[in-house]
Each structure stands twice: as structure tokens, then as C-alpha cells.
Amino acid sequence: KVNVSIIRELPQRTIKSHSKQMKKLIFTLALGLICAIGYSQTLKPEQVPQLIKDRVQFKFPQTIDVPVSWTREKNGDYKGSLTIMDAPAWIIVDTVGVIKRVERRIHETYLPDKAKSYLKSIDSDYKVVSILQITDEKENVTYKAVARVKTDFTFDGKGNHLSGAKK
């Protein structure tokens, strides 16, 4: 004989245990979302010191007419989102008004030829997804390029490179 009452209770027990797990998961996700929003909350213009806004306006006069959206970094720096030459850009300013970094999205044509040559040496059919031009506080410029490379790589049984991108 099979005890039918045990079989009927089994799905209810499973549902109850899954329900508790789902509640824990939802609570954890909600808590994480609240923490993330707290760190990256947009500041009102009056919450940004005037010194910082003045320095940014001096370097980028177009910010007088085009608003800058400000957030606060974990280390206390201010991060402004703005538009430079119709492209998105971000500026990092410390608490005393020193512009530490400017990142702006640029078109592939502005990427230096040496960088393009390097990408071609890996794969002649590469596709650039996005490029950031990053200028630090000492005016050193670097480029961060995200590119799709379509090269197939071949490795031997021990993991040694046989063919694909040039070494």
C-alpha cells in the first residue's frame, strides 16, 4: 500500500521550500539594488561645489549651455557626464577642483594609425565597437578600444598556439 497523504503533502513541502528560497533571493537582490543606487545617485547641481563647476566650465565652455549630470565616486571624486562634439564624455574631478581624467567616445577615424595597424595584425577583418580617448591630469592621452576580432585560433593538445592571430 502507498500512503497517499504523504504523496499529497510532498508537492506542498517543495513549493514552501522554493517560496522561502525565492523570498531570500528577492530580498538579496533588492538590497543589492538599493546599495548600487546609493553609490551612483545623481547629484543636484547645488550639491556640487561651485569650484568644481567653474573648473569644468573653464575647460569646456559648452557646459554653460549644456547641463552636466553629476555623480559622486566611492573615493569622493565627482564624475560629470556631458557631451563633447556631439559625443558622450565623462570628466572626473577631485574635491579641490583638479580634473583627474577626461574620457570621451571618439570615432574610429581618430584612433592613431599605429593602433589600427596593431588591430589589423591580429585580424584584418576586425570591427571596432567603441573607442574611448582618455586624457589624464598630466595631459597624457591613451585610447581604450573595444574591437571584435574574427580570427579563428588553433591550439595543440597541450594548449600551444598553432595558428590564428600573429604573436
Side-chain angles (χ1 to χ4, degrees):
K1 280 185 167 180
V2 176
N3 188 347
V4 178
S5 65
I6 293 176
I7 294 174
R8 286 184 186 153
E9 290 177 16
L10 186 60
Q12 291 176 353
R13 288 181 187 167
T14 305
I15 290 171
K16 286 181 182 177
S17 68
H18 285 297
S19 176
K20 287 180 183 178
Q21 290 173 344
M22 286 301 290
K23 285 179 184 176
K24 288 180 183 176
L25 177 64
I26 290 170
F27 176 75
T28 305
L29 290 174
L31 185 63
L33 182 63
I34 289 168
C35 290
I37 290 171
Y39 276 114
S40 64
Q41 202 167 36
T42 302
L43 299 173
K44 294 177 183 173
E46 58 269 9
Q47 292 176 300
V48 180
Q50 191 60 44
L51 170 71
I52 292 170
K53 292 189 279 189
D54 290 344
R55 296 280 170 94
V56 171
Q57 284 179 355
F58 181 76
K59 180 133 177 126
F60 303 101
Q62 71 269 28
T63 61
I64 294 170
D65 300 323
V66 180
V68 178
S69 176
W70 293 98
T71 57
R72 195 85 189 255
E73 300 280 287
K74 288 181 185 178
N75 63 358
D77 291 347
Y78 292 87
K79 182 176 186 176
S81 298
L82 61 149
T83 302
I84 300 174
M85 297 174 62
D86 295 328
W90 301 268
I91 186 165
I92 310 296
V93 186
D94 68 12
T95 55
V96 294
V98 175
I99 296 175
K100 295 172 79 175
R101 189 170 70 242
V102 177
E103 300 175 0
R104 62 179 227 177
R105 191 164 288 160
I106 60 169
H107 190 268
E108 180 182 357
T109 55
Y110 296 110
L111 188 65
D113 289 336
K114 193 170 182 178
K116 291 179 196 174
S117 297
Y118 177 77
L119 289 170
K120 274 189 180 168
S121 74
I122 295 172
D123 184 353
S124 61
D125 293 329
Y126 76 93
K127 294 251 189 233
V128 171
V129 176
S130 68
I131 302 171
L132 283 180
Q133 179 186 41
I134 303 166
T135 307
D136 67 13
E137 61 189 294
K138 296 178 182 171
E139 298 295 321
N140 295 320
V141 176
T142 55
Y143 296 90
K144 184 175 185 177
V146 177
R148 275 196 198 108
V149 179
K150 298 179 181 178
T151 301
D152 291 330
F153 297 93
T154 307
F155 301 93
D156 67 13
K158 295 180 181 178
N160 297 317
H161 178 261
L162 299 176
S163 67
K166 298 177 183 176
K167 293 182 181 179

